[in-house]
């Protein structure tokens, strides 16, 4: 087995055919077919069932998939370890919640890019659940997610702490108690968003059922629909404060046990940390350490007392 053959095998397994695998890898079809047949001969077993141009992976192929992915990851890690230099360079793919990308990341990204221009940094947004899955499956090198987190394969650090607030339109009647929102429409992100879960759980504890729940793909859309009187939502204060100053929404504070929302920086424990990753982690910590020193100290005391994160959480 060689690395190229394994890459071809995985591409065929993912796309289900030689033609699409060849297009993905920018190879000629005859080369893909030949390398795949040679791999099957070397292993002494078919890896795909042939049904015309459609290929269906065999049980042996399913077993090889896991090994091939691990081999390619280790190969890439070895390459990075040999080529890595004290000066950060190369590519870095980081995941983040959309609200974090909008409110917290611009300063971090600008400072990082200024200091390390040789690093090609890419940011991908998603829900907390999506980001955790992407890091676990090696699709993202690290991610910023909403706490809590308990997973033995992930290392987590408290990056900063958000204050969640309730937002309504300007015409909404006064909200003097949680019961005042039980029969309102909740405007939220898709399933997997921890802020959405906070809001639904809070309403549920009151014994109320929301009038309806409407999902959105962006925080701008949620804020716009809140301002238009469609319903209420829960978001970090850092994201919505400017909209209040523009006079389009009203903000209501929440009880501390609901409002406190730590953001965690997570990455796999078994992946080599490149100089680019160390530099990003350092920049993130530097930007937010002073502002959040008191909040982090307070929260870590809570963690130690309650055991929310076990041993997985550290500070920047």
């Amino acid at each position: 087995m060689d690395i190229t053959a394994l890459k071809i095998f995985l591409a065929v397994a993912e796309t289900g055919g030689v033609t699409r695998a060849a297009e993905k890898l920018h190879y000629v079809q005859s080369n893909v077919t030949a390398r795949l047949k040679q791999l099957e001969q070397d292993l002494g077993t078919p890896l795909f069932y042939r049904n015309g141009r459609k290929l269906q992976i065999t049980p042996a192929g399913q077993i090889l998939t896991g090994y091939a992915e691990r081999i390619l990851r280790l190969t890439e890690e070895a390459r990075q370890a040999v080529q890595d230099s004290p000066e950060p360079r190369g590519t870095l793919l980081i995941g983040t919640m959309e609200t974090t990308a909008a409110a917290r990341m611009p300063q971090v990204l600008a400072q990082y890019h200024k200091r390390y221009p040789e690093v090609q940094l890419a940011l991908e947004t998603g829900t907390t659940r999506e980001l955790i899955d992407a890091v676990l499956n090696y699709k993202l090198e690290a991610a910023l997610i909403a706490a809590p987190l308990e997973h033995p394969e992930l290392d987590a650090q408290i990056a900063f702490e958000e204050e969640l607030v309730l937002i309504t339109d300007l015409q909404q009647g006064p909200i003097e108690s949680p019961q005042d929102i039980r029969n309102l429409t909740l405007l939220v992100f898709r399933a997997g968003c921890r802020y959405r879960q906070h809001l639904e759980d809070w309403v549920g504890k009151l014994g109320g059922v929301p009038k309806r729940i409407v999902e959105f793909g962006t925080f701008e859309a949620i804020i716009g629909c809140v301002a238009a009187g469609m319903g209420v939502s829960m978001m970090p204060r850092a994201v919505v404060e400017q909209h209040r100053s523009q006079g389009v929404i009203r903000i209501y504070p929440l009880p501390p046990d609901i409002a406190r929302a730590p953001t965690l920086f997570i990455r796999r424990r078994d992946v080599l940390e490149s100089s680019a990753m160390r530099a990003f982690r350092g920049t993130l910590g530097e930007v937010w350490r002073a502002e959040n020193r008191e909040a982090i100290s307070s929260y870590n005391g809570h963690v130690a007392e309650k055991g929310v994160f076990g041993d997985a959480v550290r500070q920047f």
Side-chain angles (χ1 to χ4, degrees):
M1 290 187 292
D2 62 36
I3 299 302
T4 301
L6 291 177
K7 287 182 179 178
I8 289 174
F9 162 73
L10 289 176
V12 173
E14 179 182 342
T15 62
V18 170
T19 301
R20 282 177 288 181
E23 292 173 352
K24 178 180 179 179
L25 298 172
H26 304 291
Y27 290 171
V28 296
Q29 293 185 37
S30 59
N31 188 22
V32 173
T33 300
R35 298 298 289 270
L36 190 60
K37 288 183 177 179
Q38 183 61 52
L39 180 61
E40 290 179 318
Q41 291 176 7
D42 292 344
L43 295 173
T45 185
L47 300 173
F48 295 94
Y49 297 117
R50 271 75 175 176
N51 183 14
R53 293 187 177 182
K54 180 69 174 178
L55 299 182
Q56 180 67 40
I57 196 165
T58 65
Q62 292 282 8
I63 294 173
L64 180 61
T65 297
Y67 284 101
E69 290 174 343
R70 288 161 56 190
I71 290 170
L72 293 179
R73 282 198 301 270
L74 287 173
T75 301
E76 177 61 20
E77 184 175 317
R79 185 189 66 79
Q80 292 179 359
V82 171
Q83 295 181 351
D84 199 22
S85 64
E87 182 63 28
R89 64 183 71 249
T91 60
L92 191 62
L93 181 57
I94 304 293
T96 175
M97 298 175 290
E98 186 175 335
T99 51
T100 303
R104 302 297 188 181
M105 296 309 294
Q107 184 179 353
V108 176
L109 297 179
Q111 184 166 312
Y112 186 83
H113 178 69
K114 183 178 180 180
R115 289 182 176 178
Y116 311 107
E118 297 301 314
V119 178
Q120 184 178 348
L121 179 62
L123 208 63
E124 183 172 311
T125 60
T127 66
T128 287
R129 184 188 304 168
E130 292 168 343
L131 295 172
I132 291 173
D133 290 342
V135 173
L136 285 172
N137 292 317
Y138 301 93
K139 295 179 180 179
L140 290 173
E141 296 175 64
L144 287 153
I145 67 165
L149 171 75
E150 286 186 89
H151 200 289
E153 297 177 39
L154 297 177
D155 179 69
Q157 297 172 290
I158 300 175
F160 47 86
E161 185 174 275
E162 297 287 8
E163 178 196 356
L164 298 182
V165 294
L166 191 71
I167 60 174
T168 73
D169 66 287
L170 298 178
Q171 283 69 47
Q172 172 65 40
I175 296 181
E176 299 175 348
S177 70
Q179 284 75 14
D180 294 331
I181 71 167
R182 287 186 301 179
N183 297 318
L184 300 177
T185 298
L186 305 185
L187 310 185
V188 297
F189 287 106
R190 59 189 177 276
C193 171
R194 289 272 169 80
Y195 298 156
R196 169 184 178 166
Q197 193 63 52
H198 275 306
L199 180 56
E200 292 183 8
D201 289 347
W202 188 48
V203 174
K205 287 179 181 178
L206 305 174
V209 177
K211 182 178 180 181
R212 67 169 61 95
I213 297 176
V214 180
E215 295 184 358
F216 293 84
T218 66
F219 74 90
E220 294 99 333
I222 294 177
I223 294 173
C225 288
V226 168
M230 184 175 175
V232 302
S233 188
M234 181 185 288
M235 282 195 182
R237 180 183 288 274
V239 174
V240 301
E241 193 65 56
Q242 62 177 343
H243 298 277
R244 178 173 69 169
S245 66
Q246 295 169 1
V248 297
I249 62 171
R250 182 170 287 135
I251 292 178
Y252 292 89
L254 294 166
D257 60 325
I258 299 296
R260 298 169 64 254
T263 297
L264 306 179
F265 182 77
I266 66 168
R267 57 186 301 273
R268 286 195 63 98
R269 293 177 179 271
D270 61 352
V271 173
L272 177 72
E273 184 178 55
S274 65
S275 58
M277 176 63 75
R278 285 193 298 274
F280 181 83
R281 190 160 51 84
T283 302
L284 184 65
E286 180 181 327
V287 170
W288 297 114
R289 186 182 295 113
E291 179 178 334
N292 294 280
R293 184 178 292 115
E294 183 176 348
I296 289 175
S297 176
S298 172
Y299 189 75
N300 274 336
H302 172 73
V303 169
E305 179 182 351
K306 300 295 184 181
V308 177
F309 297 99
D311 296 327
V313 174
R314 296 183 289 109
Q315 297 178 29
F316 278 108

